[in-house]
């Protein structure tokens, strides 16, 4: 296998090269945890991997078939209800170090965070879904620029404690709900070694070929811990070596002989880029500054056969969606129809006309 082939295999692993029909919740469960801080774009990350429209995906989130919360790293993720509790047990202690540090800057120690949790639980009990501003108002925390960071830390701490997760959308506003009212707690727990092994297997089967450093970046765990997890599951994976670097992937992944020409218009922060420590398999380094910034802001990308060939943005109008593209190089005339085919799935997903500029 070559570096060029890695990008092809990742299309299959990540369900971007569609071979079977999947529901939105099956996509989320397959990928383990999908980064989702940009809510509108994160829904399209799911939609680009299945045939569901935006309304169906929104309904899956509103009904609790897909959970949105902070997990793995201190950012939003979509997670399956089947995975939420064991993943929280595994990753929350390491992410809470971040939230505890942030809260302490505003004189909120562990005691105050626990008191806030008690109040939040009472506020949300009985499927009472409230926005963060509504919760903060009840907690007596005024809305200021500095308090916004404190309120974020308070709510993230409550998420990591397994108390809350996102609830039903209130118009265009995100709400919080009690996690146990959305997802019942399981009867049994995994120990840390079992959970790490399960997380590693999920990652490499859904993101491979990938390295131990890729898994470390995605999971938030140190490379030494990640290597131990890989050692525990190595018989369940295939291993390849390129330039003295080991890559792990699913055993029965499709052969590249079956690939066809394909273009994807993918959202910002999509797993195809964000879930890897190094990304040389996906684009040329001289285009890096156009794809993502030094402070970690990822742009929506145009992917041709697994390679980034440009960026795009969408603007929602009253009766259509405007798509603006920036290609890194002129595309051949005979390939332009493939490019425009790639946007059709987004048009179907939105359920509105697309105009490309």
């Amino acid at each position: 296998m070559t570096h060029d082939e890695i990008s092809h295999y990742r299309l299959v692993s990540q369900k971007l090269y569609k071979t079977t029909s999947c529901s939105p919740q099956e996509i989320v469960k397959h990928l383990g945890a999908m980064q989702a801080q940009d809510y509108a774009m994160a829904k399209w990350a799911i939609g680009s991997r299945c045939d569901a429209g935006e309304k169906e995906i929104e309904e899956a989130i509103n009904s609790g078939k897909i959970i949105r919360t902070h997990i793995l790293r201190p950012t939003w993720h979509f997670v399956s209800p089947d995975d939420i509790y064991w993943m929280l047990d595994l990753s929350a202690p390491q992410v809470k170090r971040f939230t505890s540090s942030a809260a302490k800057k505003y004189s909120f120690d562990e005691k105050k965070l626990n008191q806030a949790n008690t109040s939040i639980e009472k506020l949300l009990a009985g499927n009472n879904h409230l926005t963060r501003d509504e919760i903060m108002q009840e907690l007596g925390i005024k809305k200021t620029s500095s308090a916004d960071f404190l309120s974020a830390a308070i709510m993230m701490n409550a998420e990591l404690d397994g108390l809350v997760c996102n609830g039903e959308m209130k118009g265009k506003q995100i709400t919080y709900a009690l996690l146990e009212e959305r997802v019942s707690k399981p009867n049994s727990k995994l120990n840390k070694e079992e959970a790490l092994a399960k997380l590693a297997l999920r990652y490499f089967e859904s993101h491979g070929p990938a390295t131990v450093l890729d898994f470390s970046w995605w999971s938030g765990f140190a490379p030494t811990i990640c290597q131990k997890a890989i050692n525990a599951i190595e018989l369940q994976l295939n291993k390849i070596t390129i330039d003295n670097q080991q890559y792990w992937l699913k055993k029965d992944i499709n052969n590249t002989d079956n690939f066809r020409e394909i273009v994807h218009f993918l959202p910002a922060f999509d797993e195809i880029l964000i879930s890897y420590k190094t990304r040389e398999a996906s684009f040329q380094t001289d285009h890096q500054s156009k794809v993502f910034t030094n402070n970690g802001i990822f742009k929506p990308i145009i992917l041709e056969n697994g390679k980034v060939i440009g960026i795009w943005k969408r603007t929602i109008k009253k009766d259509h969606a405007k798509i603006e593209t920036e290609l890194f190089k002129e595309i051949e005339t005979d390939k332009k129809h493939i490019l425009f085919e790639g946007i059709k799935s987004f048009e179907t997903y939105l359920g509105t006309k697309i105009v490309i500029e």
Side-chain angles (χ1 to χ4, degrees):
M1 188 182 292
T2 65
H3 281 294
D4 286 341
E5 289 175 318
I6 288 175
S7 58
H8 287 283
Y9 278 94
R10 286 177 178 173
L11 289 179
V12 176
S13 295
Q14 293 213 15
K15 300 286 188 183
L16 283 166
Y17 187 82
K18 299 174 185 176
T19 56
T20 57
S21 178
C22 293
S23 67
Q25 48 268 38
E26 286 172 333
I27 292 296
V28 172
K29 185 168 184 177
H30 171 74
L31 287 164
M34 297 179 69
Q35 191 154 328
Q37 75 268 45
D38 185 331
Y39 181 65
M41 278 295 193
K43 287 185 292 182
W44 170 232
I46 298 172
S48 63
R49 291 164 168 85
C50 64
D51 296 324
E54 184 177 26
K55 291 181 180 178
E56 182 182 344
I57 293 168
E58 181 102 7
E59 175 54 32
I61 297 165
N62 280 338
S63 64
K65 294 177 182 176
I66 294 171
I67 300 298
R68 184 171 179 262
T69 191
H70 282 82
I71 205 166
L72 294 188
R73 304 183 301 279
T75 190
W76 292 104
H77 283 88
F78 286 137
V79 187
S80 168
D82 295 340
D83 297 322
I84 182 64
Y85 285 110
W86 70 261
M87 279 194 187
L88 275 176
D89 287 343
L90 177 64
S91 69
Q94 67 177 3
V95 186
K96 280 194 72 170
R97 290 196 292 267
F98 172 86
T99 56
S100 297
S101 175
K104 281 179 182 177
K105 293 179 181 178
Y106 303 95
S107 302
F108 253 72
D109 56 14
E110 186 175 353
K111 182 180 178 180
K112 283 190 175 182
L113 287 172
N114 289 336
Q115 289 172 342
N117 277 359
T118 300
S119 298
I120 291 167
E121 186 172 14
K122 291 177 181 177
L123 286 171
L124 300 181
N127 286 304
N128 188 28
H129 298 198
L130 298 175
T131 66
R132 190 171 80 183
D133 285 347
E134 289 171 334
I135 294 170
M136 291 305 116
Q137 185 176 1
E138 292 295 330
L139 294 181
I141 297 175
K142 296 180 180 180
K143 188 175 181 180
T144 63
S145 56
S146 60
D148 193 51
F149 291 101
L150 172 59
S151 64
I154 290 171
M155 296 312 302
M156 194 186 301
N157 177 76
E159 290 172 281
L160 294 167
D161 281 342
L163 178 63
V164 303
C165 63
N166 271 182
E168 294 182 5
M169 292 294 290
K170 186 177 287 188
K172 293 187 177 181
Q173 290 187 295
I174 290 166
T175 70
Y176 289 87
L178 293 181
L179 178 58
E180 285 193 50
E181 291 186 345
R182 306 279 273 172
V183 187
S184 298
K185 276 194 171 182
N187 294 324
S188 59
K189 286 190 173 187
L190 301 176
N191 64 39
K192 185 175 181 179
E193 289 71 24
E194 291 171 335
L196 271 168
K198 185 172 184 175
L199 190 68
L201 186 62
R202 186 76 60 85
Y203 174 76
F204 288 107
E205 287 190 339
S206 62
H207 293 76
T211 67
V212 63
L213 290 180
D214 292 329
F215 177 50
S216 174
W217 155 251
W218 179 84
S219 68
F221 288 97
T224 51
I225 294 174
C226 290
Q227 186 60 61
K228 288 180 180 178
I230 293 171
N231 293 343
I233 61 165
E234 60 180 334
L235 295 179
Q236 300 177 64
L237 297 170
N238 274 342
K239 179 177 68 174
I240 56 173
T241 303
I242 304 174
D243 297 336
N244 297 317
Q245 178 68 66
Q246 291 182 343
Y247 291 79
W248 302 86
L249 68 159
K250 189 177 180 181
K251 274 197 177 273
D252 59 349
I253 198 166
N254 287 0
N255 189 289
T256 52
D257 291 341
N258 296 322
F259 288 130
R260 65 181 183 274
E261 293 282 303
I262 190 168
V263 169
H264 295 91
F265 282 70
L266 295 179
F269 300 99
D270 192 84
E271 290 288 306
I272 200 68
L273 288 187
I274 196 71
S275 59
Y276 305 100
K277 176 68 174 177
T278 57
R279 305 171 179 105
E280 68 274 5
S282 297
F283 61 84
Q284 296 177 359
T285 54
D286 55 342
H287 296 143
Q288 177 174 312
S289 61
K290 295 180 179 179
V291 178
F292 61 91
T293 64
N294 289 333
N295 60 344
I297 303 300
F298 283 69
K299 308 287 182 64
I301 55 173
I302 304 171
L303 209 65
E304 180 186 29
N305 303 327
K307 299 285 188 179
V308 180
I309 62 168
I311 56 177
W312 65 290
K313 67 177 182 178
R314 60 99 174 92
T315 305
I316 303 298
K317 302 290 187 177
K318 185 176 181 180
D319 60 351
H320 70 280
K322 183 176 74 172
I323 303 296
E324 297 172 80
T325 64
E326 180 185 339
L327 299 175
F328 298 154
K329 64 178 181 179
E330 186 66 30
I331 192 168
E332 297 90 336
T333 303
D334 62 345
K335 284 190 174 182
K336 282 188 176 180
H337 73 282
I338 301 174
L339 178 67
F340 295 120
E341 282 290 324
I343 200 62
K344 280 188 176 180
S345 59
F346 188 58
E347 186 173 56
T348 302
Y349 162 82
L350 286 178
T352 191
K353 182 182 176 182
I354 294 287
V355 176
I356 302 178
E357 296 187 355

